Amino acid sequence: MTSPEQAVSTPAESPERAEKRKSATRGAFFAEFVDMFDIYLPTVVLTPALLYFQPAQLDPGTTAIFTSLVFVTTLVGRPIGAAVFGALADRIGRRRSTIISVTGFGVITLLIALVPGYTTIGIASFWVLIVLRFLDGICLGGGYTGALPLAMEYSTKSRRGLLGGIILSAFPLAYVVITLVGLASFALFPLAGPDSPYAVWGWRVPFVLGALLAFVLAAYYVRSVSESEIWEAAEAAKSEGTSQGGAGRPLLAVLRSSTFLQVFGMMTGFWLTQNLVTLFLPTTVLRNLVGLSNNQLTVTLLIAYVCLVGSYIAAGVIGQRIGRRRFFMIGGLLIATVGVGLMAVLVNGRGLPLGVVILVVCLFSIVVTAPWGVVLPYITERFRTDVRASGFGLGFSVSVVIPSFYAFFLEGLGGLMPYATAVLVLLAFGGLLGAAGAAAGPETKDVDFE
């Protein structure tokens, strides 16, 4: 795969600025990778070991609640972190905000690796884990809020689409890596009850690895990444009284703007469809409805996410060529039609050959997640420099809250229609909402950052 710095090179810039751009690009790519690596740690690595933090005898309902809390608390923390660190990045700079947030989730991830189990401190072990995951979510929400806009502000206008696709491709790549790490952990450390090697300490190894990755990333920003020149120019203009931006109130300036409402509506639709790929598809569809074994499910998802690494980059390039607004509108309509058709095959797919299932899952994942290769340049282009980090963080993260309740929406629709049909209706609604949200906004690919 082409490296981020090679892909966005431009002969017109000075060598000094080219090096700054390369450093910012590498930092943003690995910030996204480390962020998503940490996000998937509990779902892939920690879930099998949660019995280590719980009483021996729990009913299935309580167990399900405990399991969901580990993931949901992180999701709740992310919008808070985006608001806090977005405002911080607009006030003190993208680079310093990134260093603080990345160091924060490195420390917290390491603390999680040290949490004792239920036999040592009782049920407090579970609540300590939940609190740490919430704090981790806050810092994770700030990790990309500064790093990604910083990279966009160093990119040339004509290459933002490619750069955005490359950076966001770190998300499926992180899923592939954490899955492989999880498989290696399961193979090395047996899991057989709360006293088994994996339950007691085997799950801790990937968390230590995640913490080390965060510390390496923070050190890289300290040593190699320069502050955004665009942000510094805006700050200089502000101090001279020549800027008319919302100085000192980035959060209020963003939340009161029609731009935020438009981005929020579009991203709510695309987060809804994304959740149906990342959360609903694996267990509910592929395991329960299609009937895949654990090994078949793992292989299917690994192949699909490898495909997404390339498709995110391709989406960024296409969005740059035809326009981001047009890409979102077409993508939303494709989700509501082609995506719905592919999902219909899967929800009725019991008995299909494994090869056919893998092909359909790959096509479905590519179609439904295509907008994510374009969202980074689009959202950063929608906001002024003085509120760009806040706008990106809030537009990207706050919009995940409503779609996180997709299971409740499916339950409500299930009372009106068959469950399989409810899934298709919700998927179509998300695609159409994303397309409508994009249609309500302007084209951005030719805007200058100001």
Side-chain angles (χ1 to χ4, degrees), residues 231-242:
W231 177 82
E232 288 179 330
E235 286 297 294
K238 188 189 303 180
S239 63
E240 294 171 3
T242 59

Side-chain angles (χ1 to χ4, degrees), residues 374-445:
V374 185
V375 296
L376 171 54
Y378 180 79
I379 299 178
T380 53
E381 288 163 348
R382 290 291 283 123
F383 294 95
R384 299 188 315 267
T385 298
D386 60 320
V387 295
R388 183 165 294 121
S390 298
F392 175 75
L394 292 170
F396 190 85
S397 289
V398 174
S399 53
V400 75
V401 175
I402 295 175
S404 296
F405 294 95
Y406 73 92
F408 296 93
F409 303 148
L410 286 175
E411 189 70 24
L413 289 171
L416 305 174
M417 61 189 73
Y419 190 76
T421 304
V423 174
L424 304 182
V425 169
L426 194 62
L427 180 62
F429 175 78
L432 294 175
L433 179 59
E443 178 52 59
T444 64
K445 75 184 185 74

